[in-house]
């Protein structure tokens, strides 16, 4: 089965990479379930997809709550009869020097960026196993490959996404694929979660100077899931051409 008519569940789908991925895949014939907390935004996106003939449904989702993620994935199965791809995209990026001891923000990053991915895997894996097929697409970051001042905890969470995905791949569960996407600087709302003024200013300046569209990441997701069933695209790094690290 190629990308057409696959059932794709996407977390963090109310904006940025999640929204772009939902719109692109639906435009290519996939049936998408969009999850996020902002239902008003999801309603708008669903309407836009349906207006062009695409198939999309929405469901409230808080990836920090295991039950919420379970309900989200079950809704995909109940609505479409199966689930083929789980895109664990939801993430936050409140960068700050560790010396500021923003422990609440550290914990929030762990909850969203790591536990949210684990909850997504735990919710979808039984269905994939039952079907004998399935595909996890986990969105990390180039910060999951390179650490820079202010990114220690954020990078730690994104390194973890890569480790979890690679471990899952190496377990070689029959028919189950694992892809990690490492976006560089992309036009998203991630910078809005940064409370450190200097870090926020630096990120905004770099974003305004050369950030790429979230559509670029959506195309990477589409490339991975549209491969033949015996092909597993494990890692894709997508940076702006001007980004140095």
């Amino acid at each position: 089965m190629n990308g057409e008519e696959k059932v794709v569940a996407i977390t963090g789908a109310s904006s940025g990479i999640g929204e772009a991925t939902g719109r692109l895949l639906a435009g290519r014939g996939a049936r998408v379930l969009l999850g996020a907390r902002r239902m008003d935004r999801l309603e708008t996106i669903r309407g836009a997809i349906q207006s062009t003939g695409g198939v999309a449904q929405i469901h409230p989702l808080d990836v920090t709550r295991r039950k919420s993620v379970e309900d989200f994935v079950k809704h995909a199965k109940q609505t479409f009869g199966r689930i083929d791809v789980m895109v664990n995209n939801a993430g936050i990026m409140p960068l700050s020097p560790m010396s500021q001891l923003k422990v609440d923000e550290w914990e929030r990053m762990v909850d969203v960026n790591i536990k949210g991915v684990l909850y997504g895997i735990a919710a979808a894996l039984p269905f994939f196993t039952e079907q004998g097929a399935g595909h996890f697409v986990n969105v990390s970051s180039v910060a999951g490959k390179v650490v820079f001042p202010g990114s220690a905890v954020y990078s730690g969470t994104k390194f973890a996404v890569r480790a979890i995905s690679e471990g899952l791949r190496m377990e070689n569960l029959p028919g189950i694929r694992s892809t990690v996407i490492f976006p560089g600087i992309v036009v998203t709302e991630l910078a809005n979660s940064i409370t450190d003024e200097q870090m926020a200013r630096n990120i905004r300046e770099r974003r305004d100077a050369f950030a790429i569209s979230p559509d670029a990441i959506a195309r990477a997701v589409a490339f991975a899931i549209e491969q033949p069933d015996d092909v597993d695209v494990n890692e894709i790094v997508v940076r702006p051409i001007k980004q140095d690290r």
Side-chain angles (χ1 to χ4, degrees), residues 1 3 11-12 37 80-81 114 127 133 135 141 153 156 177 188 196 201 206 212 218 220 222:
M1 181 186 295
T11 74
R37 292 177 300 171
F80 298 112
I114 300 179
F127 292 117
H135 194 163
S141 165
V153 179
R177 301 190 285 181
T188 71
D196 178 89
R201 187 179 308 111
R206 288 168 64 84
I212 56 178

Side-chain angles (χ1 to χ4, degrees), residues 25-110:
L25 296 182
R28 295 189 179 189
R31 294 168 289 171
V32 300
L33 176 64
L34 310 177
R37 292 177 300 171
R38 295 181 294 179
M39 290 299 291
D40 56 335
R41 282 288 302 151
L42 293 181
E43 289 279 7
T44 299
I45 297 164
R46 176 174 63 178
I49 290 173
Q50 291 178 339
S51 71
T52 58
V55 177
Q57 293 297 328
I58 61 175
H59 197 271
L61 174 64
D62 179 353
V63 298
T64 68
R65 296 175 52 240
R66 181 177 177 182
K67 180 65 163 53
S68 179
V69 182
E70 290 174 347
D71 289 345
F72 174 66
V73 172
K74 286 178 182 176
H75 188 74
K77 177 67 183 282
Q78 292 166 354
T79 301
F80 298 112
R82 62 182 292 116
I83 175 171
D84 300 297
V85 184
M86 180 70 185
V87 181
N88 290 306
N89 165 72
I92 59 172
M93 190 184 69
L95 304 175
S96 66
M98 294 197 74
S99 60
Q100 291 191 3
L101 299 178
K102 292 181 178 284
V103 179
D104 289 344
E105 293 183 357
W106 301 351
E107 291 180 343
R108 181 69 175 168
M109 277 189 279
V110 169

Side-chain angles (χ1 to χ4, degrees), residues 93-102 105-106 109 143 146-155 185 189-208 245:
M93 190 184 69
L95 304 175
S96 66
M98 294 197 74
S99 60
Q100 291 191 3
L101 299 178
K102 292 181 178 284
E105 293 183 357
W106 301 351
M109 277 189 279
V146 178
V147 183
F148 55 89
S151 82
V153 179
Y154 178 67
S155 289
I185 297 179
E189 298 178 354
L190 272 180
N192 297 347
S193 65
I194 302 175
T195 59
D196 178 89
E197 292 184 6
Q198 184 61 51
M199 290 297 306
R201 187 179 308 111
N202 291 344
I203 293 297
R204 283 196 297 268
E205 288 175 355
R206 288 168 64 84
R207 182 186 63 191
D208 293 344
R245 60 182 180 181

